[in-house]
Amino acid sequence: MKIVVPEKWMPCDGVVLEDSANSAVRTNKNILVIAGPGAGKTELLAQKASYLFQTNICRDPQKILAISFKKDAADNLKKRVIKRCGKEIETRFVSMTYDAFSKSILDHFRFALPEVLRPDAAYLVNDVDTIDAAFKKAGYNNPLNLPVYKLRTYYERVLDSVELPFTRNDLGETVWKLLLKGFDNYKPTLSFKMICILAEFIIKTNYKIKRGLQLTYKYVFLDEFQDTTYLQYKLVKQCFLNSGSIMTAVGDNKQRIMVWAGALKTVFHDFKTEFNAETHKLTMNHRSAPRLVDLQRKMYASLNESDSTICVSDKWEPDDGMVTLLIAEDEENEAATISEHISAQIESGIEPNKLCILCKQKPQDYAPKIIAELRNHQILARIENDYQDLIKEPIVEMLISLLRLVIDRKRPHDWEFIVSTTADLWNIGSLQSNDDYFKMQDALSEEIEQLSGMMQDVTCKKDFHALLKHAIQFWGGKRIKATFPIYSQGTYLNDLLNKFQNYMWMELDTTEMDWLLAIENFEGLHSVPIMTIHKSKGLEYEVVYFVGLEDSAFWSFKNQPEEDRCTFFVALSRAKKEILFTFCKYRYTSRYPKQSHDQINEFFDLLRTPGIATIIE
């Protein structure tokens, strides 16, 4: 990596930063960056990291800590930074989720806790059966007869309310004590929020650990900051408030859709006040076409956004973009219209995975007829809920890259990834001799040859299981768990491997053992993704189909209108060039078939504004 003086540093990859973004990259103060959809929040953070490393302002051994909400967002940011700065900074750019950050503190400094608060190293995470059993053991037997989802919400609220150290001896503390140490035949179990509470307590009560954290992470990035919860912000403050660490928080109030999960509504104001942070506002929308941006602007008033200044990229013509509202008689009519539209888009040259079907909730209730109709057009579509998280798991990425190399050795990116990962697993670093590195490469080549022979003989799921088992044994289960500590928790690793095996075998069976096509199908390269709006956060697509703009989907609108408006805004802002909303007069598969839009009529009024949407009835 070439070092340049700050005055001569230029954004990487020919990116042109707007003035506010450029100043946000170069400032050495705590800042809050307000960035709407398509403003390039991830790119801003990647450019800031590049600036800090390439100018040597962030000096070795200082590190940058980047915290995101989703694992794929954290991975994406890290890959961008490594691409710009090289693998030499890989260990100095630590990109993880809030859950991973708090868990890393607990796992590293568990013995800093007093014995009564110290969980066993092999604690389970979010095991709902154990948590339920702990509440029953503590004497709570669901006296109000709450349904399962409300009961779990109650459990979470009780566990979150506990303050450390223990002083009250109430239900929450009693359950904590059971979960921390295990009971009867149940293993120690923690929720992610319990882990966050324990991590905050470790930092609060151990000055040396706190100081070490601050000296290690000179710069801290906080992505999607509007969704930060009270507990997460409390941890951030405990770690970095009034320290020499320089904070960069990036977010957009208009996209706050996690209030139901505890997002702190005042987090922007709190951060600006407590961290004495300057505000930088980005006004460019690099993603959406002008007509879609115009719809976003018209939503600003309902989202309590007074400043509607937003600029559209000059890559678009003024009239580019399309907004459509489909009023369908029933699900068959809806599915037929969407399928014909998707078919036309694909015929025009758009890849299926560049399109997306969104639902407010429960895609399995809205998608079956659309999936079946698309199949009649020879178009694949699938609900992404399970795939989305599974594909981003390190062990799954490793197995997929290895399988591709077994199919074709001439894949430099996969080869580089597997060699680097195997070296890490086998602890072959710069201090080892070249002989160790070459022996590892020879062993890897031999393993690929053996897997190639096994692959040719795979005729059933049992054979495929044996192939995967051989690969895991080559890397070493203990090494994998040591490198990725989360895989040491209970049956987590085995559950992941079983899920991957099942999904991958399904694709192999469907494609009649076309391995490369099966891998591509598993990765979703040839199918239209279907997901909830929450799952779509941070993603973008050429065309978005928002299915079910109905009161029944927005059943909580009366109680949380602000959050549901933000959810609607997030959905429409995923689209680059076109978005199609659907309303069904009758959903015969629904418990109450006749649909309405009385509660959310403001969305329909918005779409019926002259010049906004084309209405199809």
Side-chain angles (χ1 to χ4, degrees):
M1 178 179 63
K2 183 180 178 181
I3 302 297
V4 299
V5 297
E7 295 76 17
K8 292 188 177 181
W9 180 85
M10 297 290 289
C12 307
D13 295 339
V15 172
V16 178
L17 297 173
E18 60 180 281
D19 291 343
S20 186
N22 189 52
S23 61
V25 165
R26 295 175 183 271
T27 187
N28 209 34
K29 298 179 180 179
N30 293 337
I31 57 170
L32 171 64
V33 181
I34 308 296
K41 293 184 286 292
T42 302
E43 184 61 32
L44 171 74
L45 295 176
Q47 294 289 351
K48 188 171 181 75
S50 300
Y51 170 75
L52 293 170
F53 285 134
Q54 291 170 351
T55 60
N56 206 29
I57 291 174
C58 183
R59 296 175 180 273
D60 194 6
Q62 293 173 341
K63 297 182 179 182
I64 299 173
L65 171 65
I67 305 179
S68 304
F69 273 85
K70 295 168 65 176
K71 185 179 296 185
D72 54 351
D75 293 342
N76 179 28
L77 177 56
K78 180 151 190 169
K79 287 174 182 175
R80 291 196 196 193
V81 175
I82 291 174
K83 178 183 176 183
R84 276 77 181 270
C85 302
K87 288 186 71 65
E88 62 195 88
I89 58 87
E90 184 173 12
T91 59
R92 294 178 56 213
F93 188 79
V94 180
S95 184
M96 61 177 77
T97 63
Y98 269 110
D99 287 341
F101 176 56
S102 56
K103 191 174 187 304
S104 69
I105 292 174
L106 175 59
D107 291 346
H108 278 95
F109 305 113
R110 188 170 52 88
F111 285 100
L113 290 166
E115 199 280 332
V116 69
L117 296 177
R118 189 185 310 145
D120 185 84
Y123 64 86
L124 304 179
V125 179
N126 272 356
D127 188 281
V128 294
D129 292 334
T130 302
I131 293 173
D132 180 66
F135 271 88
K136 290 177 180 175
K137 178 82 173 179
Y140 182 83
N141 290 296
N142 193 11
L144 299 179
N145 200 27
L146 298 172
V148 172
Y149 76 96
K150 286 189 176 181
L151 186 61
R152 289 179 180 173
T153 300
Y154 173 76
Y155 288 167
E156 187 175 277
R157 188 165 64 247
V158 170
L159 294 174
D160 296 352
S161 67
V162 171
E163 295 184 1
L164 304 182
F166 296 143
T167 58
R168 298 183 301 200
N169 199 32
D170 57 6
L171 175 63
E173 288 190 3
T174 301
V175 175
W176 262 74
K177 291 172 184 176
L178 291 169
L179 292 175
L180 280 166
K181 301 301 181 182
F183 59 98
D184 299 337
N185 293 320
Y186 292 96
K187 294 182 178 180
T189 298
L190 304 176
S191 69
F192 275 116
K193 290 186 178 181
M194 291 173 69
I195 292 172
C196 187
I197 292 170
L198 287 167
E200 192 267 341
F201 186 75
I202 288 172
I203 302 300
K204 179 180 179 180
T205 55
N206 293 272
Y207 174 77
K208 289 184 178 179
I209 294 175
K210 181 173 185 172
R211 184 62 179 148
L213 197 69
Q214 295 170 355
L215 290 173
T216 299
Y217 297 118
K218 176 65 176 177
Y219 297 90
V220 180
F221 298 167
L222 305 171
D223 197 9
E224 298 290 356
F225 192 55
Q226 74 279 349
D227 287 328
T228 303
T229 68
Y230 167 76
L231 291 177
Q232 291 164 346
Y233 184 56
K234 187 178 180 183
L235 175 60
V236 168
K237 286 198 298 181
Q238 194 61 250
C239 290
F240 301 111
L241 186 62
N242 298 321
S243 73
S245 300
I246 297 169
M247 314 293 290
T248 300
V250 182
D252 178 21
N253 268 330
K254 300 185 296 300
Q255 298 183 69
R256 181 184 288 126
I257 60 174
M258 301 295 286
V259 173
W260 62 272
L264 182 62
K265 288 187 176 183
T266 61
V267 72
F268 281 14
H269 174 269
D270 295 347
F271 179 77
K272 287 190 291 184
T273 302
E274 294 170 333
F275 283 88
N276 192 29
E278 296 179 348
T279 300
H280 294 246
K281 186 163 186 175
L282 307 188
T283 59
M284 177 64 71
N285 186 323
H286 298 278
R287 176 188 300 151
S288 300
R291 291 175 66 101
L292 276 69
V293 171
D294 191 38
L295 175 56
Q296 294 172 26
R297 284 197 194 101
K298 286 182 167 53
M299 275 210 71
Y300 279 21
S302 65
L303 295 169
N304 298 316
E305 178 70 45
S306 58
D307 183 5
S308 61
T309 302
I310 183 171
C311 303
V312 182
S313 171
D314 58 11
K315 68 183 179 181
W316 301 103
E317 295 297 325
D319 290 330
D320 281 350
M322 181 175 292
V323 180
T324 304
L325 173 61
L326 169 66
I327 309 295
E329 287 296 325
D330 52 33
E331 291 154 299
E332 285 78 9
N333 177 236
E334 176 186 66
T337 303
I338 289 177
S339 298
E340 288 170 7
H341 195 281
I342 288 176
S343 180
Q345 295 294 327
I346 293 174
E347 288 178 6
S348 74
I350 298 177
E351 294 293 327
N353 65 339
K354 302 301 181 185
L355 310 170
C356 183
I357 298 170
L358 293 182
C359 308
K360 172 66 163 60
Q361 56 188 356
K362 295 184 179 179
Q364 63 272 20
D365 290 349
Y366 292 86
K369 289 189 180 298
I370 297 173
I371 293 174
E373 186 63 29
L374 284 171
R375 194 179 298 120
N376 293 335
H377 290 262
Q378 286 75 53
I379 298 171
L380 298 176
R382 75 180 188 196
I383 297 172
E384 291 292 316
N385 288 13
D386 287 338
Y387 285 92
Q388 198 173 22
D389 294 330
L390 183 63
I391 288 170
K392 293 299 179 181
E393 286 287 346
I395 189 62
V396 173
E397 290 185 319
M398 290 159 56
L399 288 169
I400 286 294
S401 286
L402 187 62
L403 289 174
R404 278 198 294 255
L405 285 174
V406 173
I407 298 166
D408 178 12
R409 291 284 294 274
K410 297 177 182 178
R411 291 178 173 272
H413 294 299
D414 286 318
W415 180 251
E416 180 183 4
F417 172 67
I418 288 297
V419 168
S420 174
T421 302
T422 304
D424 289 341
L425 288 169
W426 288 16
N427 200 28
I428 299 175
S430 57
L431 298 180
Q432 273 67 39
S433 68
N434 287 337
D435 287 344
D436 292 333
Y437 188 78
F438 291 140
K439 285 178 182 177
M440 180 272 294
Q441 283 195 316
D442 289 342
L444 182 57
S445 295
E446 183 178 340
E447 173 67 12
I448 289 174
E449 288 299 323
Q450 291 186 46
L451 292 176
S452 179
M454 295 178 70
M455 184 178 282
Q456 295 175 22
D457 295 332
V458 171
T459 59
C460 63
K461 192 173 182 179
K462 183 178 179 181
D463 295 335
F464 182 53
H465 173 80
L467 185 148
L468 294 180
K469 184 178 179 180
H470 200 282
I472 296 298
Q473 289 175 339
F474 167 74
W475 281 314
K478 290 184 178 179
R479 291 186 185 127
I480 292 171
K481 291 179 179 180
T483 304
F484 307 103
I486 193 171
Y487 292 156
S488 298
Q489 309 299 323
T491 61
Y492 186 55
L493 179 59
N494 285 336
D495 293 343
L496 277 179
L497 291 172
N498 286 333
K499 187 179 289 188
F500 171 69
Q501 175 184 281
N502 292 337
Y503 281 135
M504 189 62 199
W505 177 253
M506 181 178 67
E507 299 296 351
L508 284 167
D509 192 39
T510 301
T511 60
E512 298 180 348
M513 305 306 293
D514 184 329
W515 285 83
L516 187 56
L517 180 58
I519 290 172
E520 291 177 349
N521 285 349
F522 172 78
E523 294 180 308
L525 300 185
H526 306 301
S527 61
V528 178
I530 304 172
M531 65 186 76
T532 63
I533 298 168
H534 284 84
K535 284 287 187 181
S536 75
K537 197 80 178 292
L539 304 177
E540 60 182 27
Y541 298 92
E542 294 294 321
V543 183
V544 167
Y545 303 85
F546 185 178
V547 175
L549 189 60
E550 297 146 13
D551 289 339
S552 59
F554 289 82
W555 55 269
S556 58
F557 187 82
K558 272 188 175 180
N559 298 324
Q560 53 176 46
E562 182 180 347
E563 185 170 0
D564 278 354
R565 289 176 187 126
C566 289
T567 302
F568 179 84
F569 183 80
V570 168
L572 73 90
S573 63
R574 299 307 93 200
K576 291 183 179 181
K577 72 171 191 177
E578 184 172 353
I579 185 165
L580 187 152
F581 299 93
T582 74
F583 170 82
C584 259
K585 294 180 180 178
Y586 291 91
R587 291 195 181 276
Y588 293 108
T589 56
S590 174
R591 183 178 180 183
Y592 302 105
K594 187 174 182 180
Q595 301 298 309
S596 63
H597 55 77
D598 299 331
Q599 301 298 324
I600 59 169
N601 204 50
E602 64 182 70
F603 297 150
F604 284 78
D605 289 342
L606 181 67
L607 294 173
R608 288 175 177 138
T609 303
I612 290 294
T614 300
I615 312 295
I616 301 176
E617 297 192 62

